[in-house]
Amino acid sequence: GAAPAAGVPPDAAEPPPARHDELLVKWKGLAHVHCQWVPRAALEAEHSNKQRVQRWVRAHSSGEAVENTWDLDGDDAAAGAKDDELGYNADFNLVERIVASEAADEAPPRFLVKWRGLPYASCTWEGPRTLLEEQR
């Protein structure tokens, strides 16, 4: 399931009126560049997500510190602070370096991306289109 993003980017802090019942979601296993606005009702359709969303909205609306519900896998995550505890950081959308690449005969190449401000445990495989779109 998906968990709401820890912080909301400055340009999305006040979603447009049409998004008043949407949450910005950072999908587990995907880079921050893939965050999406998702209707709350769609997230709450799955029981485990419903509880998570309600807990996040309740804490966020009361002004409490919001405990984030997704975690990073790997040893590097334990060595440093979890990126979601820091809230939104625009650097998380910037490529720090390409760690590796792979190419298949009939498929476009893929690149293992180290994102700025995140540990190596948060590297993700991305296609050239994602890299070109996000690095403009």
Side-chain angles (χ1 to χ4, degrees), residues 28-29 70-79 82-83 119-123:
K28 185 172 184 176
W70 69 279
D71 58 2
L72 299 171
D73 296 325
D75 296 335
D76 289 347
K82 287 184 183 178
D83 58 356
Y120 278 92
S122 295
C123 289

Side-chain angles (χ1 to χ4, degrees), residues 82-127:
K82 287 184 183 178
D83 58 356
D84 53 303
E85 291 174 353
L86 303 174
Y88 179 80
N89 182 338
D91 283 353
F92 296 169
N93 292 327
L94 300 175
V95 173
E96 183 172 310
R97 67 179 42 115
I98 302 296
V99 177
S101 64
E102 66 179 17
D105 293 333
E106 299 295 320
R110 292 186 334 148
F111 303 93
L112 185 59
V113 177
K114 160 73 169 81
W115 299 98
R116 187 180 298 168
L118 293 173
Y120 278 92
S122 295
C123 289
T124 57
W125 285 100
E126 304 293 340

